[in-house]
Amino acid sequence: KTLQVLSLVDLWKTRGELKPLPALIVMPASLLQNWKDEAARFTPDLRVGVIHPSDGEFRAASDFATKPEPHLGRYDLVLTTYGQFTRNAKLHKLPWAAVIADEAQAIKNPGSGQSRAVRSVVAARRLALTGTPVENRLSDLWSIFDFINPGLLGSLASFTKATAKTSDFSVVRKLTRPFILRRLKTDKSIISDLPDKTEIDVHTALSRKQAILYAKTVEELRRTLEETKGEGSTIKRKGLILAYMLQFKQICDHPSLYLGTEAFDPKDSGKFLVLGERAAEVAARQEKMLVFTQYREMTGPLAEYLADVFGREGLVLHGGTPVSARAKLVREFQDPLGPPFFVLSVKAAGTGL
């Protein structure tokens, strides 16, 4: 997708269609350097700018705040992040030659400020890149299409009402198909040498400490639900259950994550012990390993534990990792002689990277 979009922008440049302002790509922060590197490799003639505090040239640009259009007009392609775009209101109203939303599931929630900001953009052309156009509900698809083709699927209320009453989505398919370029990783005519994905579910028992905490928390939830009565109790109960589900997940990862303590003893977590077994197999084959976690607080303890298993230090990337440092970490990991494992938070690195 990256190469196809860069080729398209290059074509627009050849045709003289990137005036007066360039094309803009909005993306997760972890992908900024990846887009810069790919542009330098495949379309070196494109003049690429970045709107993000991590970029030295942008920090030095004194004219952007007062005269954004002359500043941006010197580029063919501008890269920015969803966070930066949402905070910088002037970017929404500039007449871009094109706006491209990478990892467009980032705008799937129609009511979020991020989604509204991207969908309000002024642009002659709009493109959305995503491998998951529908993650949880059909309104995800509506939000993406409200960006690329406003009005095609009607209002959100009418779309939700119409799709809630049927299991036949042929009308939605018919409306959206002309605007979707889709490829499947299973299509060997596109990628002949890509191996099939192998998924293995590994089940593990809770440690004794986890089991005690889990049972105690279940009982606490039961008592709290029984005591939650009166007006609005149904909504309150649903909120309680969601809050306690988070606690159960924390306990299943490691009791210390739930308790907020610093001692992450591996034997206190069934997951840690199973991960250690898998990591030992990878280390024995002298291969590399990516480990994702939902919780930033887990990245440090996981990296410390895996360093013992591999006998070498690894890498860590989470939301607090400076954007300017992320590309360096990726390059280090991709070096055949580089670190053997990489611990990443799902939110910071789970898409696109």
Side-chain angles (χ1 to χ4, degrees):
K1 290 181 290 189
T2 306
L3 178 54
Q4 287 176 308
V5 169
L6 288 171
S7 300
L8 182 60
V9 175
D10 200 37
L11 179 64
W12 288 335
K13 178 181 179 178
T14 303
R15 293 175 174 173
E17 296 174 2
L18 297 179
K19 297 176 181 178
L21 289 185
L24 173 73
I25 304 181
V26 191
M27 65 194 72
S30 292
L31 301 184
L32 272 177
Q33 190 62 45
N34 183 65
W35 274 96
K36 284 183 69 176
D37 292 345
E38 297 289 83
R41 179 183 178 189
F42 293 112
T43 51
D45 291 337
L46 285 181
R47 298 168 299 169
V48 179
V50 175
I51 301 176
H52 196 272
S54 65
D55 185 75
E57 186 177 338
F58 176 73
R59 290 197 304 271
S62 58
D63 59 338
F64 175 77
T66 55
K67 298 179 180 179
E69 293 191 46
H71 172 84
L72 297 170
R74 71 185 71 167
Y75 301 114
D76 303 310
L77 178 64
V78 170
L79 313 176
T80 192
T81 65
Y82 283 105
Q84 189 69 23
F85 186 83
T86 303
R87 291 189 294 270
N88 199 329
K90 65 168 67 74
L91 298 178
H92 312 173
K93 306 305 177 186
L94 293 172
W96 300 98
V99 171
I100 298 148
D102 189 22
E103 299 299 337
Q105 63 271 21
I107 62 170
K108 69 180 181 181
N109 182 355
S112 72
Q114 181 168 285
S115 179
R116 289 198 301 269
V118 175
R119 283 160 33 221
S120 71
V121 74
V122 177
R125 306 167 184 81
R126 301 178 183 212
L127 224 63
L129 312 178
T130 177
T132 47
V134 179
E135 283 193 305
N136 300 314
R137 55 189 69 85
L138 271 179
S139 60
D140 298 354
L141 185 68
W142 180 91
S143 187
I144 292 173
F145 265 86
D146 191 55
F147 163 64
I148 60 173
N149 202 330
L152 179 71
L153 298 180
S155 67
L156 177 59
S158 64
F159 179 77
T160 303
K161 184 177 179 181
T163 54
K165 296 178 179 178
T166 181
S167 58
D168 178 12
F169 302 113
S170 58
V171 174
V172 175
R173 290 193 189 96
K174 186 176 181 180
L175 283 170
T176 58
R177 184 176 287 121
F179 305 99
I180 297 176
L181 291 171
R182 187 184 185 209
R183 64 169 189 179
L184 296 176
K185 290 180 180 177
T186 53
D187 186 347
K188 298 299 183 182
S189 68
I190 297 174
I191 308 175
S192 60
D193 60 347
L194 187 69
D196 293 330
K197 180 170 65 174
T198 303
E199 293 187 24
I200 303 174
D201 291 329
V202 180
H203 299 275
T204 176
L206 298 174
S207 70
R208 184 173 183 274
K209 190 171 184 179
Q210 283 176 306
I212 291 171
L213 275 174
Y214 200 101
K216 179 184 175 183
T217 308
V218 168
E219 178 59 24
E220 184 181 297
L221 172 59
R222 185 189 65 77
R223 289 198 312 269
T224 307
L225 289 173
E226 287 178 353
E227 295 166 2
T228 305
K229 300 174 182 178
E231 187 178 350
S233 60
T234 301
I235 294 175
K236 290 178 182 177
R237 286 179 175 214
K238 288 181 178 179
L240 280 168
I241 290 170
L242 285 173
Y244 272 85
M245 281 175 66
L246 176 64
Q247 295 179 38
F248 292 136
K249 290 171 73 175
Q250 291 175 327
I251 292 170
C252 288
D253 268 8
H254 198 289
S256 293
L257 178 64
Y258 170 72
L259 296 170
T261 58
E262 295 182 2
F264 280 77
D265 191 330
K267 71 175 184 297
D268 288 338
S269 168
K271 274 191 177 182
F272 264 59
L273 296 177
V274 169
L275 175 63
E277 294 170 3
R278 292 292 179 271
E281 295 171 6
V282 174
R285 296 194 299 267
Q286 294 186 317
E287 295 177 347
K288 297 198 176 199
M289 189 175 200
L290 291 170
V291 179
F292 286 92
T293 175
Q294 182 179 348
Y295 302 102
R296 174 177 171 177
E297 298 85 353
M298 287 289 290
T299 55
L302 281 170
E304 186 178 342
Y305 175 53
L306 289 171
D308 287 338
V309 177
F310 280 91
R312 291 176 60 194
E313 295 293 319
L315 301 169
V316 173
L317 190 154
H318 51 63
T321 306
V323 173
S324 57
R326 298 183 187 191
K328 181 176 179 290
L329 292 174
V330 172
R331 284 195 294 269
E332 281 185 51
F333 183 69
Q334 289 180 323
D335 184 334
L337 300 178
F341 68 87
F342 203 168
V343 180
L344 313 103
S345 71
V346 172
K347 188 170 183 180
T351 54
L353 189 62

